[in-house]
Amino acid sequence: MSSLSRELVFLILQFLDEEKFKETVHKLEQESGFFFNMKYFEDAVHNGEWDEVEKYLSGFTKVDDNRYSMKIFFEIRKQKYLEALDKHDRAKAVEILVKDLKVFSSFNEELFKEITQLLTLDNFRENEQLSKYGDTKSARTIMLVELKKLIEANPLFRDKLQFPSLKTSRLRTLINQSLNWQHQLCKNPRPNPDIKTLFVDHSCGQPNGARAPSPVNNPLLGSMPKAGGFPPLTAHGPFQPTPAPVATQLASWMSNPPAVTHAAVPGAAIGLGAPANSSIFFFMPLHFAFVLVNLKFLSLLTCLYVGLAALLKHPRTPPNNPANDYHSADSDHVSKRTRPIGISDEVSLPVNILPVSYPGQSHGQSLYTLDDLPKNVARALSQGSTAMSMDFHPTQQTILLVGTNVGDVALWEVGARDKLVQKNFKLWDQGTVSMPLQAALSKEPGVSVSRVIWSPDGSLFGVAYSRHIVHVYSYHGVDDIRQHLEIDAHVGGVNDIAFCHPNKQLCVVTCGDDKTIKVGYRELYGCGCDSFRLHLVNVWDATTGAKQYCFEGHEAPVYSVCPHYKENIQFIFSTAVDGKIKAWLYDNMGSRVDYDAPGHWCTTMAYSADGSRLFSCGTSKEGESFIVEWNESEGAVKRTYQGFRKRSLGVIQFDTTRNRFLAAGDEYLVKFWDMDNVNLLTTTDAEGGLQASPRIRFNKEGTLLAVSTSDNGFKILANADGLRLLHTFENRSFDASRVASEAMVKPPVMNAIIGASSAGGTVPTPADRAATVVSMNGDARSLVDVKPRVVDESMDKSKIWKLTEINEPLQCRSLRLPENLRSSKISRLMYTNSGIALLALASNAIHLLWKWQRSDRNTSGKATASILPQLWQPPSGMMMTNDVTDVNPEDAVPCFALSKNDSYVMSASGGKVSLFNMMTFKTMTTFMPPPPAATFLAFHPQDNNIIAIGMDDSTIQIYNVRVDEVKSKLKGHSKRITGLAFSNSLNVLVSSGADAQLCVWSTDGWEKQKSRTLQVPTGRTPSALSDTRVQFHQDQTHFLVVHETQIAIYETTKLECVKQWIPRESSAPISNATFSCDSQLVYASFLDSAICVFSATNLRLRCRINPAAYLPANASSNVYPLVIAAHPSEPNQFAVGLTDGGVHVLEPLESEAKWGSPPPPENGSATSISAAPASGATGATDQPQR
């Protein structure tokens, strides 16, 4: 079938799905074999519809197609067999054994015999291998996980798991374009053609006295609909396109901006000044498209149109779907030969492929349980005043930002129960603030925090206050926050603040009582307010301060903003207290969306974490609350969640997590919903003490939930993973002197309460909302708050701080992993991305994989030094061994890289590069025989088929494994490549070599941007082929450089060294180093077997682990760590690979929870990565050296 026919099938599938022909959809999927609907397959398996499961599969593969297919069918039939046995239906079990399972006996006779013997058991769980078989539901769920992995790995399903990205009702649109073309060709086109059939070409008859239609006011199809509606599909009119999703509309506007503004322009070829109650088709010249304008959503779809035939002749590859390659008939590209084995695209999909749905379908069910919800009270912390807004740091999962009703902003380390820093409200520059603000503060000095929020990378946070002002701070780790911007943003209260990235520039968005929304770049030092021009959205140039955009705005105070992007289009949703929701692009063209929120009052909006689903939560003036999901394609409520009382005791706040759950604070409870179910899932009272409508906030992973309490504090709720995360910081040191020095003060009295809004629409201030909640709680503590003051204690800490020395095994947890065979030295070591296993590559080219099992002692199944793992091999006994043909082991440089879903490992030991399947250890393919030999490997972060390969001839080859082609060859080093690291945010590749040179390459065109040679300290003579390693910091803008003579941190764009640590001349050389998973620590190993732990913010030593603490007393002096690896989710766990072939996992004692304490800041202030470039200095002279 040609590619055009294939695309037509996809269009028909979309049409059938939109028209609810469900059975026909799946029948066509199966018969065409073009799209495997994982959601449908999952449902059939969950429901035990085994005949339908196999029938559907048969459209894509047969039992004997390949080993993956055989395994898929075997697992399904085995499950069907076990379920029959579990029901004691032996006749059915025998039938399944004979008809379904016997086909596998020719491949594995012993396995078939063992399955047959299950018939002789009263309970098949007596068989040791089936002893853990649970109930039917859980068994099907477990099997589905395995089936998804097999389907993903099966080459026959490649490019069939992702539905093409199509605009809504694409087939309807094409038909309309064809009809429009036919009507244009009519000799005497009628103003209102009566098109009754698609079976023949349309042609207008010759009426008496007929005139050609006006290109401005002539509707092509059907009668005028009512406001906000599209013309219906009837027998007397052709298909009408349903509205595209909001994001698609916005993408269309940005890529094809309308030729005129929203106001009618006399004399223009196309006028958009239509009546407000109409949806109209306008004619355009033939080389343009028709334009559909729906004034309820202002949907502007500008399509270049040359008729259906011409459109199909030059099809476009569906956007945002690079995995599918559709070639047109007349552009037969000379394709590269494709490899039989490729690596699936893993940009956004984990190992278990998420269900793929058509546009408009609900998301597939993920394997979550109620235990995934954070409901256990883990911390109860006192802030000293009522928490109005909270936000967890995006990467440091236990750092919580809190804003209060008295204007305080606090930074908490909730794991250690430490309030790191607290700032009270004050103006930073009295001379620059507006006169209205000065007058307001002199009349009533009380200020409340409306909202606090982190920037996406956590380097900044913003604070919106109830009076005019927005403060933006920069964050440099631990307790180091610095003033960044003070913006006199609005006249009156600033009700919300958010960050966005229009044109790849970080901006601040604010809204307020003056009915305006403002957007300012992060460098902006004043965002002023024009009080004579209300209803505006202003965008200011970051350099000159000139106004860039001026948008017509809301007619009532703006309550909240929600920036977002889809299909690379940036836009902002805003809500006002009159219930209006609007959407804006950064283009001065006015609001694109205008519809009403349930409750018609205070509403906030939020997307699910993956950006695919839009929700809002609001409360009416009467106290009725709503959480709804929106259908973006129609601007209508898709579902309304149940479970609120008729009169809520305040304005409800909500949050989303894991792309699965919603939560809201109501009735002194936290209420939870499944996104796909309108009924209340569960609730928790957090052991009591919550506010009537508590403020809530999830951390990024959904393992922690912060909830405000009525006693001027907040609680941290956690699930099992969250409890383990907090336990890491359980016993963090806390100085008693700090508690004793906290001052107690009383804030101003807050008297306002929420009342019904006037007709003009006044927004309830955060202080109003807090006062109402407090009064309804019957608790007046927020009216006269007591809050602690955090004082500078660096001098006291510097006197008591001491380097932590670990000299004995009892002072830490250390575990040597089991070995079945004596291996050579460990050359490479890394954790799997899931954190449940360790993978090592020995110098003899053999890979070793240790897996930790889930148990009562290890409920997460993750790596730990407390439980011995299993040295794992597949049942076949196969080992992963690299090609070493004609390789001298002494000259080989082993290297490997692991794919993001842990399914594949790419590896080399001086010979060919091998691709291994991590489940079976089977070699999938080999390529690139030496010379030159590969010395370092790195997967591209956005495409696992692209690999950067460092070579021993000093080049870097950018290789596409799917098409077996070298895309680029990078030259810039003079010796072999020893390190490669990609930055996701900067789109660069950093390389390092044995020549001690660093290079930065653009991943867009693979050009070299900068290079710099590492400065070797005076008096040091590195070995001839000394390795230089690189690794990116979590912020993706700084990277760690490791050389035997130093550890350094570089800023990427300028390639400047910002921190450096150099050991003494008498010290042993550094063998390896790595960041901890949160980039807060650096672990370094040395050739004398010592291991040091540094604070990453300043590269100052905080803990030293001496060899006696983890090596046996009789260990040879030649045994030392050659490589070091950090756990991907446990910041205080790392592993080392030794020269004797051993691997040790190390963690601090559970009573300590961390490796020492950070050294005191130098010169009384914390030092951060963003400090001035180092000038070759070592650590401070007063700090202990190695």
Side-chain angles (χ1 to χ4, degrees), residues 304-354:
L304 282 176
Y305 132 150
V306 289
L308 177 61
L311 190 79
L312 288 178
K313 186 176 180 182
H314 300 282
R316 293 175 60 86
T317 301
N320 302 324
N321 190 22
N324 292 322
D325 192 15
Y326 303 106
H327 297 293
S328 61
D330 60 349
S331 59
D332 191 13
H333 300 294
V334 181
S335 59
K336 301 287 182 182
R337 73 176 175 89
T338 56
R339 302 191 65 82
I341 299 297
I343 306 176
S344 59
D345 187 357
E346 301 165 356
V347 172
S348 59
L349 297 180
V351 178
N352 307 328
I353 301 174
L354 295 175

Side-chain angles (χ1 to χ4, degrees), residues 71 279 312 369 381 417 481 521 540 757 788 954 978 1057:
K71 177 68 171 173
S279 299
L312 288 178
T369 68
L381 304 171
R417 299 182 173 89
I481 65 174
Y521 293 138
W540 306 82
S757 295
S954 78
T978 59
C1057 178

Side-chain angles (χ1 to χ4, degrees), residues 720-736:
D721 289 334
L723 290 172
R724 282 188 289 274
L725 177 64
L726 294 174
H727 184 66
T728 304
F729 300 89
E730 185 78 47
N731 295 289
R732 179 171 175 163
S733 57
F734 186 79
D735 296 339

Side-chain angles (χ1 to χ4, degrees), residues 174-207 213 218-222 235-239 283 305 308:
L174 291 174
I175 293 173
N176 266 326
Q177 290 174 341
S178 176
L179 293 172
N180 196 39
W181 174 266
Q182 294 170 23
H183 190 66
Q184 287 280 5
L185 295 179
C186 289
K187 294 181 179 179
N188 298 289
R190 293 179 181 178
N192 294 291
D194 187 14
I195 301 176
K196 297 181 179 180
T197 182
L198 298 176
F199 293 164
V200 296
D201 289 349
H202 161 70
S203 176
C204 292
Q206 178 67 45
N218 178 32
L220 170 60
L221 304 172
H236 299 288
F239 293 118
F283 277 116
Y305 132 150
L308 177 61

Side-chain angles (χ1 to χ4, degrees), residues 704-974:
L704 302 177
L705 177 65
V707 188
S708 61
T709 59
S710 59
D711 59 353
N712 299 328
F714 57 91
K715 293 183 178 181
I716 302 298
L717 311 186
N719 61 13
D721 289 334
L723 290 172
R724 282 188 289 274
L725 177 64
L726 294 174
H727 184 66
T728 304
F729 300 89
E730 185 78 47
N731 295 289
R732 179 171 175 163
S733 57
F734 186 79
D735 296 339
S737 60
R738 174 173 178 167
V739 179
S741 63
E742 289 175 342
M744 313 299 283
V745 298
K746 296 182 179 180
V749 176
M750 315 292 285
N751 294 320
I753 62 173
I754 296 178
S757 295
S758 64
T762 59
V763 66
T765 66
D768 295 335
R769 296 194 287 266
T772 301
V773 172
V774 171
S775 62
M776 292 179 177
N777 285 341
D779 188 347
R781 274 173 284 192
S782 72
L783 301 182
V784 182
D785 288 315
V786 177
K787 55 185 173 64
R789 299 292 187 193
V790 179
V791 299
D792 185 1
E793 35 179 336
S794 58
M795 293 303 295
D796 294 333
K797 285 187 177 181
S798 64
K799 294 177 182 177
I800 63 174
W801 181 84
K802 184 180 179 181
L803 174 68
T804 300
E805 294 265 6
I806 296 179
N807 299 306
E808 299 177 4
L810 295 177
Q811 292 179 287
C812 68
R813 288 181 289 164
S814 172
L815 176 69
R816 184 176 176 111
L817 305 189
E819 310 161 46
N820 288 345
L821 51 92
R822 191 68 180 173
S823 63
S824 316
K825 64 183 180 182
I826 302 299
S827 301
R828 294 291 182 264
L829 182 69
M830 69 167 63
Y831 284 88
T832 58
N833 295 291
S834 61
I836 64 173
L838 257 174
L839 178 66
L841 173 58
S843 60
N844 60 1
I846 295 176
H847 297 78
L848 305 171
L849 180 66
W850 292 271
K851 286 187 177 182
W852 276 258
Q853 303 298 317
R854 193 184 298 268
S855 65
D856 293 339
R857 292 180 58 204
N858 185 19
T859 55
S860 70
K862 291 185 177 180
T864 172
S866 301
I867 297 175
L868 202 65
Q870 174 191 4
L871 181 58
W872 192 85
Q873 280 182 277
S876 64
M878 186 181 297
M879 300 185 72
M880 288 190 290
T881 305
N882 281 332
D883 169 61
V884 289
T885 306
D886 300 325
V887 173
N888 182 351
E890 298 298 324
D891 297 333
V893 180
C895 55
F896 65 13
L898 190 62
S899 65
K900 289 193 294 295
N901 67 356
D902 297 334
S903 295
Y904 305 96
V905 61
M906 195 79 67
S907 186
S909 294
K912 295 179 183 178
V913 178
S914 300
L915 175 65
F916 295 100
N917 184 309
M918 285 283 283
M919 290 193 301
T920 63
F921 283 13
K922 183 177 178 180
T923 304
M924 310 296 287
T925 186
T926 60
F927 54 93
M928 284 202 172
T935 56
F936 205 92
L937 299 166
F939 280 101
H940 192 287
Q942 288 151 3
D943 186 352
N944 260 358
N945 288 300
I946 304 298
I947 307 164
I949 306 177
M951 313 299 287
D952 64 2
D953 68 351
S954 78
T955 64
I956 302 167
Q957 300 197 21
I958 308 302
Y959 176 74
N960 188 319
V961 67
R962 185 183 291 275
V963 299
D964 191 18
E965 179 187 27
V966 175
K967 292 291 190 182
S968 295
K969 182 179 285 190
L970 314 183
K971 297 181 179 180
H973 291 272
S974 60

Side-chain angles (χ1 to χ4, degrees), residues 1030-1101:
V1030 288
Q1031 178 191 8
F1032 266 97
H1033 187 278
Q1034 198 172 52
D1035 66 9
Q1036 293 291 299
T1037 59
H1038 296 83
F1039 62 91
L1040 179 70
V1041 177
V1042 182
H1043 187 263
E1044 66 177 51
T1045 64
Q1046 62 189 281
I1047 300 170
I1049 293 177
Y1050 278 72
E1051 193 278 330
T1052 307
T1053 56
K1054 297 180 181 178
L1055 201 54
E1056 290 182 348
C1057 178
V1058 295
K1059 280 292 165 187
Q1060 186 181 45
W1061 183 87
I1062 300 173
R1064 291 177 177 173
E1065 291 186 25
S1066 58
S1067 299
I1070 301 165
S1071 61
N1072 207 341
T1074 185
F1075 277 126
S1076 61
C1077 63
D1078 59 1
S1079 296
Q1080 296 302 299
L1081 303 174
V1082 173
Y1083 298 113
S1085 58
F1086 295 79
L1087 297 188
D1088 62 359
S1089 303
I1091 301 170
C1092 289
V1093 184
F1094 299 84
S1095 291
T1097 52
N1098 49 23
L1099 288 186
R1100 303 196 73 201
L1101 186 61

